[in-house]
């Protein structure tokens, strides 16, 4: 540590803030997206920046990383030195600002060492060869600061989640001398599971304890409530709360700040409408991928949750059931008749009355360059590839119905899906499959990476779909989502169902069932130094 | 110039669209109009310009016939290329050689091996379709890179064509067979209308039928298409096979029009195909490959080249024009696609 005042851990003194953002505005065309946003990040704190999709949160991130150029009059300064705008990444880096990008921003096929040193590799004087020994030593030194050991010569793709998080943090940290600097986490944690998340915050806690600051841009309210010191909330491009102490703030309180209305009923679940008199959908002896001989029933009107640790197989079930991944054995009895899942094709699964809302809307969910109406109609138009004209009018009308039901914005059937916000895209994805009127609706992480408002609508729509008499299966790792959606939960371990949760299900119950060996702790155990 | 201003009207340069797109009405404004019809406007301007500069030669029925009566080969070839582009395969580099193979086969079988001209034509089309089928097998089933497979296949077929003809141009198709291409209808050879019908049919399938919807979804996102029950492998394979079929038909019609074929000439089509197809993405449906836009682009390019030739330029001009337009068109198409998002 240096002798400057910055070295004081978690200094709340009078020195300049680590990062100060003042009068930050940006206008696209005629639309002003940010209005005089101001907040500061102090040395040694974790400062959370939150807001719904479309609140301007990612726009702030893009300005701070130099992708967007803010309007004149905006000011961004680091340790009291104003940065030139638009932000030049090299200048920001030399002032000690490092960025960890969305989903950690690592290249899976490259090794740990290559990932850590990319952009910093130095050539030798004459032949411009890379001195890998020196590079490796520099990287080892950073891992040492984090107190972790990770092999340098393996591809990042082969690492565990928490190890990947370590590599990402190490890469950001290596340009920052201990006790100084700022790390911006731009939605970095969105793909991390619970276990990795706890380790992530344990590491981050160690980093900020030295006086380095962290700006955490995130969707997860829990990260803010559990792990941040102060929070700035953006709503409609304005900072409605700037730098409020997190202590004493709970999730509903934070959600209502983000939504601008009271969200007390946000986490309330509709009563179940399970139709016990009707024949359940019976899944028998399902085997394939990591799932081994699993059987369960889902009644019409019931929402059944599947959860477990990563690799326990709960997240393979949706794809095995619907013929997307090859199952080696298993049957599903549906109202339209029994189905053997071995050699089942997606087309036959749809015919049999199953619908899958997959994880990853950009990868498998929606064609983002096509319109909302085309996407919603696609499961109906796909199986019969004739050359008779499509019913364009009916397609439009159906799209309008679903747009209204799920409050998709903007409410335009011909809007290109890629132009919608993440939450609205997720609504379109749900509408696309609800429109097939399935008897068994299977969802995987249905509210992943959507804002609070969209989440509320999606949860209500899934509950409503069940209330109409559908059997619903939700596979997910987010305990809040599972607790909110499900009437009954199956917890997986090593490819089999280990535990069943019934009755009133709280997020804590889900987590403690998943981590039987490791009871859930707060995301961040603040270190003594930071207190 | 007008393309430039159209782009500016949609969104100011230098600032990307904000994450949540503002709810602007997409069916309004000069920008909306210009993005679709600017190239057609430039085409008309070009015709007026040439007409003013060379009224005695350009504004004649002769030059009209040259522009509209000579581009059938290009229309068929761009249609073949579109088949694979629409389903998301980058480009089929073998269509030009495959076209040449069909043209050579029909002539060689008829003239040198004394097959009936119709059976020779059928054999040529079947051969080209088979080539497309093999391309599809290699790319879709074997998973080989599209460019490598089709570039190799194209060179291979060129060699085969040269071998079949002993490096010489071939000719001698019977004159009544020529009528399938040259029969005059409304002052233009009938093959012009074949090309128009082909592109209209293609546009119809893509725009309003479930088959076309599936093709486009496969092109946009294979996994989404598969999950909705589309047999993606079959669709992609079918696209390569259809590309071969269309190239073969084009080859036979082209051979019929001239009574034979010079196998060396097929390579000269490669660049114009690309230029027209990419320029087509700036017409009618901005940022998207579309048959009618491509069809217009073919005649736009022909007009441009003819006019420059009438102004005194020699054969170098077509390379300059087609090459220049390809680069411009790809740039324009990329920018339009970004705006469309």
């Amino acid at each position: 540590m240096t002798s400057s005042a910055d070295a004081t851990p978690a200094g709340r003194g009078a020195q300049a803030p680590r990062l100060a953002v003042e009068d930050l505005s940006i206008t696209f065309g005629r639309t002003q997206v940010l209005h005089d946003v101001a907040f500061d990040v102090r040395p040694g704190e974790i400062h959370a920046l939150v807001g719904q999709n479309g609140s301007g949160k990612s726009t702030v991130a893009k300005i701070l990383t130099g992708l967007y150029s803010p309007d004149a009059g905006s000011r961004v300064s680091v340790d009291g030195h104003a940065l030139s705008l638009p932000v030049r990444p090299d200048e920001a880096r030399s002032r000690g600002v490092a960025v960890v990008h969305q989903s950690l921003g690592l290249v899976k096929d490259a090794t740990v060492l290559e990932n850590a040193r990319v952009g910093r590799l130095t050539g030798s004087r004459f032949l411009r060869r890379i001195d890998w020994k020196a590079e490796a030593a520099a990287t080892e030194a950073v891992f040492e600061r984090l107190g972790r050991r990770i092999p340098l010569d393996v591809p990042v793709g082969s690492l565990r989640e928490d190890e990947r998080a370590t590599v990402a943090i190490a890469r950001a940290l290596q340009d920052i001398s201990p006790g100084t600097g700022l790390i911006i986490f731009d939605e970095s944690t969105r793909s991390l599971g619970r276990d990795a998340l706890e380790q992530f915050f344990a590491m981050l806690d160690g980093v900020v304890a030295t006086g380095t600051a962290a700006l955490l841009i995130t969707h997860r309210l829990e990260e803010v409530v559990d792990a941040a010191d102060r929070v700035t909330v953006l709503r409609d491009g304005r900072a409605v709360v700037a730098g409020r102490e997190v202590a004493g703030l709970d999730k509903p309180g934070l959600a209502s700040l983000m939504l601008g209305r009271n969200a007390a009923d946000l986490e309330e679940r509709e009563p179940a409408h399970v139709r016990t008199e009707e024949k359940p959908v019976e899944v028998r002896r399902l085997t394939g991928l990591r799932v081994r001989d699993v059987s369960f029933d889902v009644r019409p009107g019931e929402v059944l949750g599947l959860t477990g640790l990563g690799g326990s197989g709960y997240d393979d079930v949706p794809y095995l059931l619907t013929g997307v991944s090859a199952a080696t054995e298993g049957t599903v009895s549906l109202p339209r008749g029994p189905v053997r899942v071995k050699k089942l094709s997606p087309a036959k699964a749809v015919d049999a009355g199953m619908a899958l809302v997959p994880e990853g809307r950009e990868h498998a969910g929606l064609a983002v360059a096509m319109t909302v109406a085309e996407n919603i109609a696609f499961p109906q138009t796909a199986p019969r590839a004739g050359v008779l004209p499509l019913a364009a009018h009916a397609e439009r009308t159906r799209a309008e119905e679903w747009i209204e039901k799920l409050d998709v914005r903007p409410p335009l059937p011909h809007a290109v899906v890629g132009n919608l916000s993440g939450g609205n895209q997720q609504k379109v994805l749900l509408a696309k499959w609800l429109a097939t009127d399935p008897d068994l609706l299977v969802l995987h992480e249905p509210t992943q990476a959507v804002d609070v408002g969209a989440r509320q609508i999606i949860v209500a729509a899934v509950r409503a779909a069940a209330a109409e008499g559908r059997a619903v299966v939700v596979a997910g790792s987010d305990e809040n989502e599972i607790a909110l959606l499900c009437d009954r939960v199956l917890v997986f371990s090593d490819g089999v169902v280990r535990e069943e949760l019934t009755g009133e299900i709280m997020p804590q119950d889900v987590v403690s069932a998943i981590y039987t060996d490791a009871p859930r702790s707060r995301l961040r155990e603040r270190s003594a130094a930071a207190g | 110039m007008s393309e430039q201003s159209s782009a500016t009207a949609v969104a100011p340069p230098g600032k990307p669209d904000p994450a949540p797109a503002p709810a602007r009405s997409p069916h309004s404004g000069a920008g909306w109009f210009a993005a679709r019809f600017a190239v057609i406007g430039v085409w008309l301007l070009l015709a007026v310009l040439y007409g003013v500069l060379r009224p005695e030669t350009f504004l004649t029925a002769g030059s009209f016939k040259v522009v509209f009566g000579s581009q059938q080969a290009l229309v068929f070839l761009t249609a073949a290329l579109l088949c694979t582009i629409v389903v998301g395969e980058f480009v089929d580099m073998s269509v030009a050689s495959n076209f040449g193979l069909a043209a050579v086969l029909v002539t060689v079988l008829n003239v040198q091996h004394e097959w009936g001209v119709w059976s020779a034509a059928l054999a040529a089309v079947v051969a080209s379709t088979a080539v497309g089928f093999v391309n599809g097998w290699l790319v879709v089933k074997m998973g080989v890179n599209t460019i490598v497979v089709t570039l190799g296949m194209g060179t291979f077929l060129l060699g085969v064509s040269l071998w079949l003809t002993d490096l010489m141009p071939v000719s001698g198709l019977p004159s009544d067979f020529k009528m399938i291409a040259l029969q005059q209808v409304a002052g233009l050879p009938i093959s012009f209308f074949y090309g128009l019908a082909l592109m209209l049919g293609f546009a119809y399938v893509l725009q309003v039928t479930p088959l076309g919807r599936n093709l486009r979804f496969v092109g946009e996102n294979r996994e989404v298409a598969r999950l909705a029950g589309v047999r993606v492998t079959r669709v992609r394979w079918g696209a390569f096979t259809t590309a071969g079929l269309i190239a073969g038909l084009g080859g036979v019609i082209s051979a019929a029009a001239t009574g034979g074929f010079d196998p060396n000439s097929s390579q000269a089509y490669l660049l114009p195909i690309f230029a027209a197809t990419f320029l087509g993405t700036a017409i009618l449906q901005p940022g998207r490959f579309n048959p009618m836009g491509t069809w217009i682009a073919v005649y736009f390019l022909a007009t441009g080249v003819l006019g420059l030739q009438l102004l005194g330029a020699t054969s170098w001009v077509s390379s300059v024009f087609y090459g220049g337009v390809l680069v411009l068109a790809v740039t324009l198409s990329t920018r339009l696609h970004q705006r469309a998002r």
Side-chain angles (χ1 to χ4, degrees):
Chain A
M1 290 192 189
T2 60
S3 58
S4 80
D6 287 5
T8 318
R12 300 279 200 272
Q15 81 263 37
R18 190 61 21 99
L19 173 77
V21 172
E22 293 158 280
D23 296 332
L24 190 66
S25 298
I26 189 165
T27 309
F28 296 113
R30 274 162 292 171
T31 321
Q32 189 168 357
V33 174
L34 290 180
H35 303 264
D36 302 322
V37 169
F39 63 93
D40 63 348
V41 182
R42 297 172 189 154
E45 75 166 351
I46 299 180
H47 191 117
L49 179 65
V50 295
Q52 290 197 72
N53 279 340
S55 62
K57 169 176 50 115
S58 27
T59 309
V60 171
K62 283 174 180 157
I63 292 171
L64 292 178
T65 52
L67 215 57
Y68 288 175
S69 168
D71 294 347
S74 306
R75 287 190 306 282
V76 176
S77 49
V78 175
D79 290 329
H81 302 277
L83 295 183
S84 58
L85 294 175
V87 172
R88 297 200 340 252
D90 54 340
E91 184 193 350
R93 196 205 279 185
S94 71
R95 292 252 173 243
V97 180
V99 182
V100 178
H101 290 282
Q102 284 205 355
S103 306
L104 305 179
L106 299 171
V107 180
K108 281 190 177 153
D109 292 336
T111 65
V112 170
L113 181 57
E114 286 163 340
N115 265 294
R117 298 299 290 176
V118 65
R120 296 156 187 90
L121 294 167
T122 35
S124 65
R125 185 169 296 178
F126 293 112
L127 292 173
R128 305 302 302 161
R129 275 169 51 91
I130 296 169
D131 179 357
W132 285 109
K133 269 188 190 153
E135 303 288 348
T139 311
E140 290 281 15
V142 185
F143 282 135
E144 199 124 308
R145 272 162 72 186
L146 288 171
R148 308 262 161 164
R149 289 194 61 83
I150 291 177
L152 296 181
D153 52 355
V154 299
V156 162
S158 70
L159 296 180
R160 289 196 317 267
E161 263 187 338
D162 58 305
E163 294 174 323
R164 288 185 210 180
T166 311
V167 175
I169 295 184
R171 178 162 74 181
L173 201 59
Q174 62 187 335
D175 298 321
I176 294 174
S177 41
T180 68
L182 165 79
I183 307 180
I184 299 173
F185 293 93
D186 178 12
E187 303 273 5
S188 320
T189 50
R190 69 186 248 184
S191 62
L192 293 186
R194 176 80 201 182
D195 202 28
L197 207 56
E198 280 177 24
Q199 305 218 27
F200 172 88
F201 279 107
M203 259 183 287
L204 191 54
D205 187 56
V207 171
V208 296
T210 65
T212 300
L215 177 64
L216 190 68
I217 300 167
T218 182
H219 262 107
R220 295 194 196 183
L221 304 190
E222 185 183 10
E223 290 179 10
V224 181
V225 173
D226 269 14
D229 296 305
R230 290 193 306 148
V231 61
T232 294
V233 181
L234 289 184
R235 191 165 74 222
D236 299 329
R238 291 184 170 82
V240 289
V241 169
R244 168 177 170 165
E245 297 285 337
V246 167
L249 196 62
D250 58 1
K251 272 190 275 182
L254 185 58
S256 64
L257 285 176
M258 286 165 64
L259 290 169
R261 56 191 144 96
N262 197 341
D265 57 345
L266 193 64
E267 309 278 291
E268 196 83 356
R269 177 151 52 100
E270 291 267 314
H273 303 271
V274 180
R275 306 186 180 182
T276 42
E277 73 283 5
E278 284 176 41
K279 197 174 168 312
V281 171
E282 296 166 354
V283 176
R284 290 290 174 269
R285 305 192 63 87
L286 184 67
T287 307
L289 298 178
R290 284 163 297 193
V291 177
R292 294 182 288 128
D293 198 5
V294 165
S295 301
F296 57 85
D297 291 357
V298 201
R299 293 207 171 266
E302 183 183 35
V303 182
L304 175 69
L306 308 177
T307 189
L309 288 169
S312 62
Y314 77 93
D315 49 350
D316 292 334
V317 173
Y319 303 96
L320 294 171
L321 281 181
T322 52
V324 173
S325 301
T328 49
E329 216 193 320
T331 55
V332 187
S333 74
L334 291 154
R336 296 177 208 179
V339 173
R340 283 177 59 86
V341 290
K342 190 177 179 182
K343 295 197 174 161
L344 181 68
S345 71
K348 283 186 199 147
V350 174
D351 278 345
M354 289 191 264
L356 168 71
V357 177
E359 185 195 25
R361 53 184 172 259
E362 277 136 30
H363 165 64
L366 296 167
V368 291
M370 312 278 282
T371 68
V372 170
E374 285 170 333
N375 270 289
I376 290 180
F378 190 50
Q380 268 111 48
T381 61
R384 285 157 287 277
V387 290
L388 293 173
L390 292 158
H393 184 73
E395 187 174 306
R396 197 189 154 88
T397 316
R398 181 164 48 219
E400 277 167 351
E401 270 170 35
W402 282 103
I403 284 171
E404 197 188 320
K405 263 190 207 169
L406 299 184
D407 190 28
V408 176
R409 289 183 210 177
L412 307 170
H414 54 255
V416 173
V417 166
N419 284 343
L420 305 183
S421 70
N424 282 304
Q425 290 186 14
Q426 192 70 22
K427 291 180 203 167
V428 174
L429 175 57
L430 184 62
K432 168 182 164 182
W433 287 108
L434 282 177
T436 64
D437 193 18
D439 297 315
L440 174 63
L441 177 65
V442 188
L443 307 106
H444 185 202
E445 304 282 7
T447 65
Q448 191 179 54
V450 306
D451 57 84
V452 196
R455 177 183 162 120
Q456 203 175 4
I457 290 170
I458 290 166
V459 167
V462 172
R463 298 288 309 172
E468 286 165 15
R470 301 175 213 287
V472 180
V473 173
V474 180
S477 60
D478 179 341
E479 64 275 10
N480 297 310
E481 173 189 286
I482 291 287
L484 202 54
L485 267 170
C486 303
D487 304 309
R488 192 157 60 91
V489 177
L490 302 180
V491 182
F492 277 64
S493 175
D494 284 330
V496 296
V497 177
R498 196 191 51 207
E499 197 178 339
E500 179 172 346
L501 307 177
T502 51
E504 198 68 8
I505 298 165
M506 303 304 284
Q508 300 85 290
D509 306 335
V510 178
V511 171
S512 57
I514 298 175
Y515 301 93
T516 38
D517 316 329
R520 180 192 192 197
S521 51
R522 278 173 70 87
L523 277 177
R524 174 185 175 203
E525 296 301 337
R526 287 176 173 76
S527 56
Chain B
M1 282 309 284
S2 35
E3 289 95 320
Q4 180 100 44
S5 61
S6 79
T8 341
V10 177
K15 289 203 176 174
D17 276 352
R24 61 168 181 256
S25 171
H27 280 274
S28 62
W32 182 87
F33 187 81
R36 280 154 185 77
F37 303 109
V39 175
I40 300 176
V42 174
W43 185 21
L44 295 177
L45 280 179
L46 212 55
V48 170
L49 181 73
Y50 291 148
V52 170
L53 292 174
R54 285 287 181 276
E56 69 287 359
T57 48
F58 188 77
L59 292 179
T60 59
S63 61
F64 180 79
K65 281 190 179 175
V66 168
V67 169
F68 287 97
S70 65
Q71 302 299 317
Q72 294 77 338
L74 207 49
V75 171
F76 274 83
L77 283 167
T78 50
L81 188 68
L82 278 176
C83 283
T84 54
I85 288 185
V86 163
V87 297
E89 295 302 334
F90 182 57
V91 283
D92 183 343
M93 308 281 284
S94 70
V95 285
S97 300
N98 202 4
F99 162 95
L101 176 75
V104 162
L105 264 184
V106 65
T107 318
V108 168
L109 288 177
N110 176 247
V111 177
Q112 295 176 12
H113 297 270
E114 292 169 0
W115 287 35
V117 70
W118 294 105
S119 41
L122 184 66
V125 172
V126 168
S128 287
T129 311
V131 167
F133 187 82
V134 172
N135 278 338
W137 179 70
L138 289 168
V139 171
V140 179
K141 279 283 178 185
M142 298 288 109
V144 192
N145 179 295
T146 312
I147 295 199
V148 176
V149 165
T150 57
L151 193 61
M153 182 62 85
T155 311
F156 174 80
L157 295 180
L158 175 65
V160 170
S161 301
L162 289 167
W163 169 64
L164 284 173
T165 61
D166 216 2
L167 306 179
M168 299 293 283
V170 285
S171 60
L173 284 172
S175 59
D176 55 338
F177 184 65
K178 290 185 185 175
M179 294 316 283
I180 68 159
L182 295 181
Q183 176 72 47
Q184 295 289 304
V185 177
L188 287 169
I190 190 166
S191 50
F192 167 81
F193 299 97
Y194 295 160
L196 181 59
L198 175 69
M199 284 304 204
L200 281 173
F202 200 164
Y204 166 82
V205 167
L206 274 189
Q207 204 61 34
V208 298
T209 71
L211 172 64
R213 185 67 64 78
N214 285 4
L215 292 174
R216 277 172 48 208
F217 265 88
V218 169
E220 291 295 342
N221 191 325
R222 271 179 216 158
E223 189 63 9
V224 169
R226 187 173 82 91
L227 264 52
V230 177
R231 298 164 119 169
V232 173
T233 306
R234 189 182 283 198
V235 165
R236 292 170 65 208
W237 199 343
F240 275 100
T241 311
T242 311
L245 171 69
I246 294 174
L249 288 171
V252 168
I253 290 167
S254 216
T258 51
F261 195 74
D262 176 359
N264 282 303
S265 71
S266 66
Q267 294 311 291
Y269 285 110
L270 203 51
L271 199 87
I273 305 173
F274 285 86
T277 311
F278 280 90
L279 184 59
T281 63
I283 307 172
L284 301 182
Q285 298 179 333
R288 182 176 274 179
F289 289 96
N290 69 92
M292 289 321 292
T294 304
W295 185 82
I296 292 169
V298 166
Y299 292 99
F300 171 91
L301 292 171
T303 310
V305 170
L306 176 73
L308 289 173
Q309 282 169 346
L310 292 178
L311 289 174
T314 49
S315 60
W316 56 265
V317 77
S318 57
S319 294
V320 169
F321 195 71
Y322 281 126
V325 167
L326 176 60
V327 173
L328 272 179
V330 175
T331 311
L332 196 61
S333 142
T334 311
R335 298 298 296 166
L336 282 173
H337 201 69
Q338 287 163 357
R339 303 281 182 221
R341 293 193 154 254

